[in-house]
Amino acid sequence: MRWSAGWYGSAGNDRRPARGRAVPGLESTWTTGWPKAQVRSVGQGPMALTVIGECGADDHQLESALPVVQARKWRALTRWPGSYLVVARSGETLAVIGDLAGQQPVYYRTDAAGTWWSTAASALAALDGAPVDVTALAAHLAFSQPDVFADRSLFRSVRRVPGGHLLLIGPDGATVERYEPAAYPPVPLRQAAPTVRAALAEAVAARIDDRPVSADLAGLDSTTLACLAAQHTPVTAVTYADERLRDDDLAYAHRTAATVPGLVHHTVPGTAEAVYYAGLDDLTALPITDAPNAYVVTASIKRAVLGTVAEPTGAPGVHFTGAAGDAVLSAPSSYLADLLRERQHRRALSHALVHARLRHTSAFTVLARVKDAARTDLAGAWMGTAAELRRPARDWIPQAQRPIAWTPLLASADWMATDVRRRLATALDQAAEELTDAPARLADWSDRQDLARVGTNTAGWRALALAEHGIELAAPYLDNEVIRACLAVPADRRGEPAQYKPLLDAAFTGTSVLPDFVLTRTTKGGFNALAYAGLRDHARALKDLLGTSSRLAALGLVTEYPVAAALARAAAGQSTAQGALHLVVTAEVWLRQLAFAPKQWWEEVKPRVAAA
């Protein structure tokens, strides 16, 4: 696993990352697993700047940024294309800055001697064997919104730097400061479109060098990236095709590849074995990740894609994925709550009518789902959710039939032991009392949480691609500047129900990048069929995984009957709490990997002996 770490404090620290490489110009800062080309440093006197990861700034741009470091204008260091970590020193102050989507997270822990920071919470926990924070893991399962408990990691004693914040360390200790606003000033869609196009083009170009390039060629988001990459170099374009999916991804892919020069198309045929939850009987075959990783559930499908990519390219390359395209280019109907709150009743009704037609329901039903969320703010919503956790667990109904909420309770919350639910409620009440600078709009909050969730999961997929094929996974929709350009457009404009992804359409219509038939597409593929096939085919393995030997059960995070009932429904071909099952399976795998596959994170440093 790739990770970075650093120490700030008194001399005489006796540990450093195992197999760590010292970062030039920054004392007591190391990287592990990162290639030298992706760790670049510049410095002058008391100023130093290091970028770790895929950063589109050239050496001259990094040198030119040293006055920015001196002035401590930290946000300006996050505006280059790519996905990267920033470590900057200005005099005695050290700034550690992750990205907006959590692909480069930052954690820290302090004691009397100083502060350790790292991009791996597991590494900091291993310093003294800090256990899993059960309440934080419960929040992960119940809400799946990373910033609810903003500074709590999944390990006790290890603090997390929330999204949009940075870590500052100096002689007086460590502090966390916001560098990104909780919400952006609104920009009209047509005005934002050229900025979105430029940001995406730069994000793709920043990853293209002499490595082979491949890309998913499926939905609108991935097709856009494939076509942008093909403007620079030949692209091995792959489409996962399984007749059980019953979508038109393959038809559009064939047509796109025949139209766009530079796309060399390959089909990845589906097989009976390539379904969700395959391979969970051998956890040693999965890479260890720092947090529960959604891609352990879909590893067999991802391996099929990566294998197809690796065969024709013949060497490790970079693979583009459209991950997070939905999160930045569109918006769920929860934005209707914001329209009601802001008394935009006519617009709310017109949008609700279109949403209702798409869902074969009434506008009244659509608006009824958002009315409670429109009447409260984030802190009030958390207190309401805490009260719900103190009540008896609910019977399961699909999440799409429940009221829209700022932080909705997932079905997995109803599978927890009563005492865990109460502890979670207490922690949620406390978080509500301590909440500051919360966004006023539900869409601004949920957009950031969606991105943080996708970013963490994409980091797990990247680990799989690197471990098995040496392939670098590129997810440009998660780049800082792409996020900023897209989310500046209000959610009700991005999520216009009468048009599919209007922001992408406005950004690329009339250009030579995408064929018109791609931009006018209104369909979208999905993997539900393979999810239910996996739940059915691997019901026994899942029952064993979440049964009497379950580590989640030992912590009270799941109880036997409701989980067994959900699995039984799936095995019988009935609808079930698919998302909740996905969450608990990935968390169970992660806990077992922590127990059975311990990683040697640190090594002792021999003290220096002064010469006589």
Side-chain angles (χ1 to χ4, degrees):
M1 194 175 83
R2 289 176 173 175
W3 59 291
S4 308
W7 166 256
Y8 188 114
S10 59
N13 178 62
D14 61 353
R15 277 182 282 192
R16 67 180 182 188
R19 299 173 298 282
R21 181 186 293 122
V23 173
L26 283 172
E27 185 180 358
S28 299
T29 302
W30 303 269
T31 63
T32 298
W34 283 101
K36 288 184 178 180
Q38 293 189 28
V39 182
R40 294 186 293 144
S41 300
V42 295
Q44 184 178 13
M47 275 80 67
L49 171 64
T50 294
V51 290
I52 302 168
E54 293 274 11
C55 178
D58 58 28
D59 292 343
H60 175 70
Q61 287 173 302
L62 293 180
E63 290 278 359
S64 299
L66 287 174
V68 176
V69 175
Q70 184 177 27
R72 303 186 183 185
K73 296 180 179 178
W74 308 120
R75 187 174 187 262
L77 305 175
T78 70
R79 307 210 66 162
W80 294 304
S83 174
Y84 55 92
L85 178 79
V86 174
V87 187
R89 187 187 68 230
S90 179
E92 293 187 303
T93 298
L94 185 76
V96 187
I97 316 171
D99 67 320
L100 294 178
Q103 293 189 98
Q104 311 288 341
V106 180
Y107 304 93
Y108 67 103
R109 60 184 304 171
T110 60
D111 58 29
T115 299
W116 275 107
W117 66 265
S118 177
T119 57
S122 305
L124 297 184
L127 285 168
D128 63 356
V132 168
D133 183 332
V134 177
T135 304
L137 186 53
H140 167 77
L141 294 173
F143 315 133
S144 196
Q145 291 188 340
D147 288 332
V148 173
F149 295 159
D151 66 344
R152 286 178 78 159
S153 80
L154 295 179
F155 298 92
R156 292 184 206 166
S157 306
V158 178
R159 313 315 297 174
R160 170 182 176 268
V161 177
H165 291 70
L166 58 86
L167 178 65
L168 284 181
I169 316 176
D172 296 328
T175 59
V176 172
E177 293 187 5
R178 178 177 282 281
Y179 72 87
E180 194 73 5
Y184 299 117
V187 177
L189 184 144
R190 293 292 170 185
Q191 182 180 329
T195 307
V196 170
R197 181 173 64 249
L200 276 173
E202 291 174 358
V204 170
R207 271 95 169 179
I208 293 177
D209 44 32
D210 57 354
R211 297 172 294 181
V213 175
S214 59
D216 293 332
L217 190 64
L220 181 55
D221 307 334
S222 61
T223 299
T224 300
L225 301 180
C227 292
L228 282 168
Q231 293 191 320
H232 300 272
T233 189
V235 175
T236 299
V238 293
T239 305
Y240 189 81
D242 189 308
E243 61 182 14
R244 290 170 292 186
L245 296 179
R246 298 181 181 178
D247 59 28
D248 54 1
D249 280 357
L250 186 58
Y252 272 94
H254 280 316
R255 191 177 175 190
T256 303
T259 305
V260 178
L263 293 180
V264 182
H265 188 230
H266 295 262
T267 301
V268 185
T271 65
E273 295 76 24
V275 293
Y276 282 38
Y277 306 105
L280 295 183
D281 52 343
D282 181 13
L283 301 187
T284 62
L286 295 168
I288 298 173
T289 54
D290 192 48
N293 166 30
Y295 286 104
V296 303
V297 169
T298 58
S300 64
I301 299 169
K302 297 305 179 188
R303 283 180 170 129
V305 171
L306 294 170
T308 301
V309 166
E311 187 175 347
T313 56
V318 58
H319 181 76
F320 286 93
T321 170
D326 286 341
V328 297
L329 295 170
S330 56
S333 59
S334 55
Y335 71 80
L336 293 171
D338 297 321
L339 294 180
L340 291 179
R341 182 183 301 104
E342 295 161 3
R343 300 187 181 281
Q344 298 186 52
H345 296 115
R346 182 172 298 178
R347 184 165 179 78
L349 178 58
S350 66
H351 277 224
L353 286 167
V354 182
H355 282 293
R357 283 197 298 269
L358 293 172
R359 290 162 175 76
H360 307 291
T361 186
S362 70
F364 174 80
T365 300
V366 171
L367 291 174
R369 288 190 67 216
V370 302
K371 63 180 178 61
D372 290 342
R375 295 169 177 168
T376 188
D377 59 7
L378 185 57
W382 285 357
M383 288 187 282
T385 300
E388 189 172 356
L389 281 166
R390 292 187 175 95
R391 293 193 286 267
R394 311 161 300 179
D395 292 331
W396 178 76
I397 61 170
Q399 199 71 30
Q401 296 177 21
R402 295 190 184 279
I404 295 292
W406 288 76
T407 299
L409 272 183
L410 306 178
S412 38
D414 300 310
W415 301 347
M416 296 175 184
T418 301
D419 64 320
V420 172
R421 287 168 60 91
R422 287 174 178 164
R423 272 186 281 153
L424 186 55
T426 300
L428 194 56
D429 275 335
Q430 182 178 349
E433 293 172 2
E434 298 173 353
L435 185 63
T436 58
D437 65 5
R441 290 183 133 224
L442 186 157
D444 291 328
W445 164 256
S446 58
D447 283 344
R448 301 294 178 90
Q449 300 315 299
D450 289 347
L451 283 168
R453 182 169 55 251
V454 175
T456 298
N457 289 334
T458 303
W461 183 5
R462 182 174 292 110
L464 182 71
L466 281 169
E468 299 191 358
H469 294 286
I471 292 173
E472 294 275 1
L473 192 73
Y477 292 108
L478 290 168
D479 278 17
N480 288 347
E481 286 298 274
V482 175
I483 291 171
R484 287 166 175 146
C486 293
L487 296 193
V489 178
D492 61 300
R493 303 295 178 177
R494 284 182 283 119
E496 183 81 45
Q499 184 181 4
Y500 185 58
K501 297 196 173 169
L503 179 54
L504 204 61
D505 180 72
F508 288 98
T509 293
T511 70
S512 59
V513 176
L514 287 168
D516 289 342
F517 64 82
V518 172
L519 288 169
T520 56
R521 182 181 177 184
T522 59
T523 57
K524 176 180 174 61
F527 282 78
N528 268 355
L530 300 188
Y532 274 97
L535 286 168
R536 183 186 62 248
D537 296 349
H538 299 286
R540 174 67 64 181
L542 291 171
K543 187 175 181 179
D544 291 343
L545 191 72
L546 299 173
T548 55
S549 63
S550 165
R551 278 153 178 74
L552 289 175
L555 296 172
L557 293 169
V558 297
T559 49
E560 183 178 358
Y561 174 74
V563 174
L567 290 173
R569 289 178 62 88
Q574 300 173 332
S575 61
T576 193
Q578 185 187 134
L581 284 171
H582 201 138
L583 273 174
V584 298
V585 168
T586 58
E588 180 68 32
V589 169
W590 179 70
L591 286 175
R592 292 188 183 222
Q593 286 183 320
L594 285 178
F596 292 140
K599 186 177 179 67
Q600 184 61 44
W601 293 100
W602 304 96
E603 61 187 16
E604 292 186 2
V605 179
K606 294 181 180 179
R608 296 177 181 176
V609 179

